[in-house]
Amino acid sequence: MADPCQTGCPVARAHQVLGGKWTTLVFRDLLGGKRRYSELMRSLAGISPRMLAERLKMLEAEGLVLRHVHPTVPPTTDYELTALGQSMGPVIEAMAGFGAALQARD
């Protein structure tokens, strides 16, 4: 039987992107549409500005998030999911269902 975590495993690749703290919650928020950086900070209670910036940069580098900087004073930045990022929708919905089942059990 082949090792399920061998090099090239798609689950391991997804985990590289999704396994970081806060990442799935960033997806949860962006699935609702464009969000400004400040809106994400408020929604993700407890995240540090540095961590949010790191997560957004990583997701942008992976081609999952688009960053838009508007030439205002002061500059405003908003983020939205790419088509590939939007494909996380069913995964987040499944996680919400699982989380609700856990809450009901508690």
Side-chain angles (χ1 to χ4, degrees):
M1 184 167 153
D3 179 5
C5 288
Q6 63 190 348
T7 303
C9 172
V11 174
R13 178 64 178 110
H15 179 71
Q16 273 184 312
V17 175
L18 303 175
K21 187 174 181 182
W22 300 103
T23 305
T24 53
L25 297 177
V26 170
F27 272 106
R28 177 202 64 191
D29 286 0
L30 290 177
L31 281 166
K34 276 186 186 178
R35 296 285 183 266
R36 288 195 172 163
Y37 182 86
S38 59
E39 292 174 310
L40 291 169
M41 278 299 301
R42 280 191 299 273
S43 176
L44 300 168
I47 194 169
S48 70
R50 180 179 175 201
M51 177 61 71
L52 178 57
E54 284 178 16
R55 288 290 169 247
L56 289 167
K57 281 182 186 178
M58 181 271 298
L59 293 171
E60 185 180 9
E62 290 287 348
L64 301 170
V65 168
L66 293 174
R67 177 177 179 255
H68 304 279
V69 179
H70 303 279
T72 57
V73 177
T76 56
T77 306
D78 59 43
Y79 298 87
E80 68 179 318
L81 294 174
T82 63
L84 182 58
Q86 287 285 341
S87 71
M88 272 293 294
V91 175
I92 299 299
E93 288 175 22
M95 290 177 70
F98 180 69
L102 288 174
Q103 287 175 330
R105 185 195 66 182
D106 294 344

PDB file of all heavy atoms in Angstrom, residues 95-106:
ATOM      1  N   MET A  95     -16.835  22.518   7.105  1.00  0.00           N
ATOM      2  CA  MET A  95     -16.260  22.770   8.427  1.00  0.00           C
ATOM      3  C   MET A  95     -17.306  23.376   9.359  1.00  0.00           C
ATOM      4  O   MET A  95     -17.354  23.035  10.547  1.00  0.00           O
ATOM      5  CB  MET A  95     -15.048  23.693   8.318  1.00  0.00           C
ATOM      6  CG  MET A  95     -13.846  23.041   7.675  1.00  0.00           C
ATOM      7  SD  MET A  95     -12.460  24.174   7.481  1.00  0.00           S
ATOM      8  CE  MET A  95     -11.974  24.379   9.184  1.00  0.00           C
ATOM      9  N   ALA A  96     -18.149  24.269   8.831  1.00  0.00           N
ATOM     10  CA  ALA A  96     -19.211  24.873   9.650  1.00  0.00           C
ATOM     11  C   ALA A  96     -20.193  23.800  10.116  1.00  0.00           C
ATOM     12  O   ALA A  96     -20.613  23.793  11.283  1.00  0.00           O
ATOM     13  CB  ALA A  96     -19.938  25.956   8.861  1.00  0.00           C
ATOM     14  N   GLY A  97     -20.542  22.878   9.228  1.00  0.00           N
ATOM     15  CA  GLY A  97     -21.442  21.779   9.608  1.00  0.00           C
ATOM     16  C   GLY A  97     -20.823  20.895  10.676  1.00  0.00           C
ATOM     17  O   GLY A  97     -21.487  20.507  11.648  1.00  0.00           O
ATOM     18  N   PHE A  98     -19.556  20.584  10.507  1.00  0.00           N
ATOM     19  CA  PHE A  98     -18.855  19.759  11.488  1.00  0.00           C
ATOM     20  C   PHE A  98     -18.758  20.482  12.829  1.00  0.00           C
ATOM     21  O   PHE A  98     -18.985  19.910  13.889  1.00  0.00           O
ATOM     22  CB  PHE A  98     -17.455  19.396  10.949  1.00  0.00           C
ATOM     23  CG  PHE A  98     -16.654  18.553  11.873  1.00  0.00           C
ATOM     24  CD1 PHE A  98     -17.002  17.233  12.133  1.00  0.00           C
ATOM     25  CD2 PHE A  98     -15.539  19.065  12.532  1.00  0.00           C
ATOM     26  CE1 PHE A  98     -16.266  16.448  13.000  1.00  0.00           C
ATOM     27  CE2 PHE A  98     -14.791  18.296  13.400  1.00  0.00           C
ATOM     28  CZ  PHE A  98     -15.156  16.977  13.628  1.00  0.00           C
ATOM     29  N   GLY A  99     -18.438  21.781  12.765  1.00  0.00           N
ATOM     30  CA  GLY A  99     -18.352  22.574  13.999  1.00  0.00           C
ATOM     31  C   GLY A  99     -19.693  22.647  14.715  1.00  0.00           C
ATOM     32  O   GLY A  99     -19.746  22.572  15.953  1.00  0.00           O
ATOM     33  N   ALA A 100     -20.782  22.784  13.957  1.00  0.00           N
ATOM     34  CA  ALA A 100     -22.111  22.808  14.573  1.00  0.00           C
ATOM     35  C   ALA A 100     -22.426  21.481  15.244  1.00  0.00           C
ATOM     36  O   ALA A 100     -23.007  21.448  16.340  1.00  0.00           O
ATOM     37  CB  ALA A 100     -23.169  23.137  13.513  1.00  0.00           C
ATOM     38  N   ALA A 101     -22.030  20.373  14.626  1.00  0.00           N
ATOM     39  CA  ALA A 101     -22.243  19.058  15.233  1.00  0.00           C
ATOM     40  C   ALA A 101     -21.447  18.925  16.536  1.00  0.00           C
ATOM     41  O   ALA A 101     -21.938  18.377  17.525  1.00  0.00           O
ATOM     42  CB  ALA A 101     -21.856  17.945  14.250  1.00  0.00           C
ATOM     43  N   LEU A 102     -20.231  19.430  16.535  1.00  0.00           N
ATOM     44  CA  LEU A 102     -19.423  19.401  17.760  1.00  0.00           C
ATOM     45  C   LEU A 102     -20.061  20.253  18.839  1.00  0.00           C
ATOM     46  O   LEU A 102     -20.104  19.856  20.017  1.00  0.00           O
ATOM     47  CB  LEU A 102     -18.005  19.898  17.471  1.00  0.00           C
ATOM     48  CG  LEU A 102     -17.095  18.978  16.666  1.00  0.00           C
ATOM     49  CD1 LEU A 102     -15.781  19.676  16.347  1.00  0.00           C
ATOM     50  CD2 LEU A 102     -16.849  17.664  17.397  1.00  0.00           C
ATOM     51  N   GLN A 103     -20.545  21.439  18.479  1.00  0.00           N
ATOM     52  CA  GLN A 103     -21.191  22.324  19.454  1.00  0.00           C
ATOM     53  C   GLN A 103     -22.448  21.679  20.037  1.00  0.00           C
ATOM     54  O   GLN A 103     -22.709  21.804  21.221  1.00  0.00           O
ATOM     55  CB  GLN A 103     -21.537  23.677  18.820  1.00  0.00           C
ATOM     56  CG  GLN A 103     -20.335  24.542  18.571  1.00  0.00           C
ATOM     57  CD  GLN A 103     -20.685  25.822  17.839  1.00  0.00           C
ATOM     58  OE1 GLN A 103     -21.631  25.872  17.046  1.00  0.00           O
ATOM     59  NE2 GLN A 103     -19.906  26.868  18.069  1.00  0.00           N
ATOM     60  N   ALA A 104     -23.207  21.004  19.189  1.00  0.00           N
ATOM     61  CA  ALA A 104     -24.432  20.345  19.658  1.00  0.00           C
ATOM     62  C   ALA A 104     -24.103  19.228  20.642  1.00  0.00           C
ATOM     63  O   ALA A 104     -24.850  18.983  21.595  1.00  0.00           O
ATOM     64  CB  ALA A 104     -25.223  19.799  18.467  1.00  0.00           C
ATOM     65  N   ARG A 105     -23.003  18.561  20.433  1.00  0.00           N
ATOM     66  CA  ARG A 105     -22.572  17.474  21.312  1.00  0.00           C
ATOM     67  C   ARG A 105     -22.093  18.008  22.661  1.00  0.00           C
ATOM     68  O   ARG A 105     -22.256  17.385  23.689  1.00  0.00           O
ATOM     69  CB  ARG A 105     -21.461  16.677  20.643  1.00  0.00           C
ATOM     70  CG  ARG A 105     -21.034  15.446  21.420  1.00  0.00           C
ATOM     71  CD  ARG A 105     -19.744  14.922  20.940  1.00  0.00           C
ATOM     72  NE  ARG A 105     -18.712  15.939  21.245  1.00  0.00           N
ATOM     73  CZ  ARG A 105     -17.461  15.806  20.919  1.00  0.00           C
ATOM     74  NH1 ARG A 105     -17.066  14.768  20.258  1.00  0.00           N
ATOM     75  NH2 ARG A 105     -16.579  16.729  21.234  1.00  0.00           N
ATOM     76  N   ASP A 106     -21.462  19.195  22.610  1.00  0.00           N
ATOM     77  CA  ASP A 106     -20.934  19.795  23.846  1.00  0.00           C
ATOM     78  C   ASP A 106     -22.097  20.205  24.688  1.00  0.00           C
ATOM     79  O   ASP A 106     -22.351  20.353  25.701  1.00  0.00           O
ATOM     80  CB  ASP A 106     -20.057  21.009  23.543  1.00  0.00           C
ATOM     81  CG  ASP A 106     -18.778  20.612  22.789  1.00  0.00           C
ATOM     82  OD1 ASP A 106     -18.425  19.424  22.776  1.00  0.00           O
ATOM     83  OD2 ASP A 106     -18.157  21.515  22.206  1.00  0.00           O
TER      84      ASP A 106
END
